[in-house]
C-alpha cells in the first residue's frame, strides 16, 4: 500500500551512483526542503502515511496534485487538510472518492480556494452535506465527469457559499434548468459556469429565475441538447452575461462558422463575445438574419424577428447582381467642379483608381483638389457618367464605405484607392459595407468590385 511519504521519497529523494572507467559519479540524496507545489500524480498512492516526515512534507505545501491515484477514503483527504495548513489548491481527479461515509470534518478549512474532483464518483448530496460546508473560502470547484443529474439543495437547504465564483460541471447528466437555477442561491457571486456536454434541454421559461444569476458573466454550454432558436434567445435573460461558448449544437446543422456567428450575433444582442469572437458588426448580422428567416423559416425566432423588423423595417428582397459582365475598357465622364466653374469631358481607363483619376484631373485643370472622395452619378438612360469633385459634397461617412442606392440615378461613394466600376441594373438595391478582407475585394485584373452583397 503506497503512501504519500513513500511516493515523495521515490520522486524527490532517491539517489543514484554510476561508475566510469577511472572515475565515479555520485548523486547525493537531496536534503528535505519545503515544497510549495507537491505533484504526486499517478503514483499508486492509497494513504497519506504517518509520522513527522509526512508533517514536514506538507508543512509548506500550497498546491497539491494527487490525481490518478488510488485514494478511496475521504478520511485521508481530511487528514491532508489538517496537516497542510497552507494548502490552497487540491487536485484529486480520478481517485475513487464516491463514498463519503459518515465523515464529519472537525474544523473549517478556509484557506482552500480550489478543489478539483473530476471522475471521482462524488455525488452532489455528499458535497453539500459533508464537504462544502467545511470549505467556506472555496472559489473554484470542478466536479465534471461524475454523472451528477441533480443540483438541488434539499439535502442541505441552509448551505450557501458567497465566495465561490467558478463552477465546472462538464460532462454530467444535468437536464433540468430548475436544478441549475438552485446554484444561484447557493453561490450568489457565481461568475463562471461550465455546463458543456450535459443533456440540458431548456433554459426554463421564467426570466426572473434566470435573473437570479446576477453575477454570471461567462457561460459554457457546448454540446448540450437545446433544439429550438427560442431557447438560444433566452440567453439574453442573463443580466450580465458577456461571454458564451456554444458549439456542437444539433440545431446548427451544417452551418459554417460564419453563418453561426451571424445568427448568434442577431439573436443575442446583449452578449459581446460569442464562441471566443467579438461580434463587431451586429447590424449586418441582424439584417443577414432577417433575410435568411424569409427563405428559411426553420431559423425563425418570432420575438427577436419582430424586434429586428421594428428596428430595421421590412427589408427589400435581395437580388442577384453580376459584377463581372462590364467589358468596357474606358469610361467617358463629364467633370464638374462647381466652385471653380469647370465643366469638361474626359475619358478614363477602367483600371484607374479614383486616386489616379483625381491626380489626372489635378494635372489637367492645374488645381489641387485636396479631396479623398468622389461622387459619381450615372443616369440610367444614358452612357454618360457625371463626376462632381469636392470635399463637402457628400455627408461625412466612413471613407472606406461604398454605397449604391436605388434611385433615378445611382450614387457611388468611394475612397481614392477604389476602382470605380460596378455593374448594376435599375431597381437593384445593394449595400457594400466597410471594405474588409471578409466583405469586399477588388479585382486587380479587371477593376471590378466583388463583394458579399447585402441589401439596404
Amino acid at each position: 500500500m503506497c503512501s504519500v511519504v513513500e511516493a515523495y521519497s521515490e520522486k524527490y529523494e532517491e539517489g543514484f551512483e554510476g561508475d566510469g572507467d577511472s572515475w565515479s559519479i555520485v548523486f547525493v540524496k537531496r536534503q528535505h526542503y519545503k515544497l510549495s507545489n507537491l505533484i504526486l500524480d499517478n503514483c499508486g498512492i492509497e494513504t497519506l502515511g504517518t509520522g513527522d516526515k509526512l508533517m514536514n512534507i506538507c508543512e509548506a505545501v500550497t498546491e497539491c496534485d494527487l490525481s490518478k491515484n488510488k485514494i478511496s477514503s475521504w478520511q485521508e483527504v481530511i487528514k491532508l487538510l489538517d496537516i497542510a495548513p497552507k494548502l490552497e489548491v487540491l487536485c484529486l481527479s480520478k481517485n475513487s472518492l464516491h463514498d463519503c461515509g459518515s465523515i464529519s470534518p472537525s474544523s473549517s478549512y478556509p484557506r482552500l480556494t480550489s478543489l478539483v474532483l473530476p471522475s471521482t464518483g462524488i455525488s452532489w448530496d455528499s458535497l453539500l452535506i459533508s464537504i462544502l460546508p467545511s470549505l467556506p473560502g472555496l472559489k473554484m470547484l470542478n466536479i465534471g465527469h461524475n454523472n451528477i443529474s441533480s443540483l438541488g439543495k434539499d439535502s442541505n437547504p441552509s448551505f450557501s457559499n458567497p465566495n465561490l465564483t467558478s463552477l465546472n460541471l462538464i460532462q454530467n447528466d444535468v437536464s433540468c434548468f430548475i436544478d441549475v437555477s438552485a446554484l444561484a442561491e447557493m453561490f450568489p457571486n457565481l461568475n463562471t459556469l461550465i455546463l458543456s456536454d450535459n443533456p440540458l434541454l431548456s433554459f426554463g421559461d421564467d426570466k426572473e429565475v434566470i435573473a437570479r444569476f446576477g453575477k454570471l458573466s461567462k457561460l459554457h454550454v457546448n454540446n448540450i441538447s437545446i433544439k429550438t432558436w427560442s431557447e438560444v434567445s433566452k440567453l439574453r435573460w442573463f443580466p450580465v452575461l458577456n461571454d458564451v461558448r456554444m458549439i456542437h449544437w444539433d440545431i446548427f446543422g451544417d452551418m459554417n462558422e460564419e453563418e453561426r456567428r451571424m445568427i448568434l450575433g442577431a439573436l443575442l444582442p446583449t452578449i459581446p463575445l460569442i464562441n471566443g469572437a467579438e461580434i463587431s458588426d451586429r447590424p449586418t448580422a441582424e439584417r443577414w438574419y432577417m433575410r435568411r428567416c424569409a427563405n428559411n423559416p426553420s431559423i425563425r425566432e418570432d420575438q427577436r424577428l419582430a424586434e429586428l423588423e421594428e428596428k430595421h423595417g421590412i427589408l427589400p428582397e435581395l437580388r442577384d447582381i453580376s459584377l463581372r459582365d462590364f467589358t468596357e475598357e474606358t469610361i467617358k465622364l463629364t467633370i464638374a467642379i462647381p466652385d471653380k466653374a469647370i465643366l469638361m469631358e474626359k475619358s478614363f481607363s477602367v483600371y484607374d483608381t479614383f486616386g489616379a483619376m483625381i491626380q489626372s484631373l489635378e494635372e489637367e485643370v492645374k488645381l489641387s483638389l485636396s479631396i479623398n472622395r468622389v461622387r459619381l452619378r450615372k443616369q440610367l438612360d444614358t452612357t454618360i457618367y457625371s463626376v462632381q469633385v469636392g470635399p463637402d459634397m457628400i455627408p461625412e461617412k466612413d471613407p472606406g464605405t461604398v454605397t449604391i442606392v436605388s434611385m433615378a440615378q445611382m450614387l457611388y461613394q468611394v475612397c481614392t484607392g477604389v476602382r470605380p466600376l460596378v455593374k448594376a441594373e435599375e431597381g437593384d438595391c445593394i449595400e457594400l459595407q466597410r471594405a474588409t478582407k471578409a466583405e469586399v475585394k477588388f479585382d486587380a485584373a479587371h477593376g471590378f468590385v466583388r463583394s458579399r452583397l447585402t441589401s439596404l
Side-chain angles (χ1 to χ4, degrees), residues 195-372:
L195 288 169
S196 298
D197 298 298
N198 279 273
L200 191 64
L201 298 170
S202 170
F203 294 112
D205 297 318
D206 193 337
K207 287 185 179 181
E208 294 183 1
V209 171
I210 294 180
R212 294 172 188 168
F213 289 91
K215 300 293 181 66
L216 189 70
S217 63
K218 296 180 182 180
L219 178 63
H220 291 199
V221 282
N222 298 326
N223 194 29
I224 61 174
S225 300
I226 297 297
K227 303 296 184 183
T228 66
W229 294 108
S230 60
E231 290 296 328
V232 174
S233 190
K234 290 176 184 178
L235 289 170
R236 296 189 291 163
W237 297 351
F238 288 90
V240 297
L241 189 62
N242 57 37
D243 183 356
V244 63
R245 304 293 177 99
M246 44 190 305
I247 60 175
H248 303 306
W249 286 25
D250 291 341
I251 195 173
F252 293 135
D254 58 357
M255 291 183 186
N256 59 37
E257 182 178 354
E258 175 68 5
E259 290 171 329
R260 292 196 301 269
R261 186 185 72 85
M262 296 290 274
I263 194 170
L264 293 176
L267 290 176
L268 304 174
T270 61
I271 303 177
L273 202 62
I274 300 176
N275 292 329
E278 185 175 358
I279 307 298
S280 57
D281 193 358
R282 205 171 294 270
T284 297
E286 292 170 348
R287 290 193 293 269
W288 179 94
Y289 175 69
M290 292 173 69
R291 286 203 168 82
R292 292 311 181 278
C293 284
N295 298 321
N296 185 3
S298 66
I299 66 172
R300 288 177 61 99
E301 202 288 290
D302 291 339
Q303 181 179 351
R304 180 59 180 154
L305 185 59
E307 294 171 358
L308 293 177
E309 288 177 349
E310 183 177 353
K311 177 180 179 180
H312 296 289
I314 304 299
L315 301 185
E317 183 179 353
L318 199 63
R319 297 170 180 261
D320 292 328
I321 299 176
S322 171
L323 303 178
R324 298 186 179 185
D325 57 357
F326 197 91
T327 57
E328 299 178 39
E329 293 190 1
T330 60
I331 180 173
K332 188 176 182 180
L333 301 177
T334 300
I335 310 300
I337 307 179
D339 57 341
K340 302 299 181 183
I342 295 176
L343 182 68
M344 59 185 292
E345 288 189 358
K346 185 174 175 60
S347 294
F348 295 92
S349 168
V350 297
Y351 302 108
D352 286 342
T353 66
F354 275 105
M357 182 188 299
I358 293 167
Q359 183 178 359
S360 176
L361 288 173
E362 289 178 333
E363 293 173 355
E364 182 136 356
V365 300
K366 310 299 182 185
L367 292 171
S368 177
L369 299 177
S370 300
I371 58 98
N372 63 1

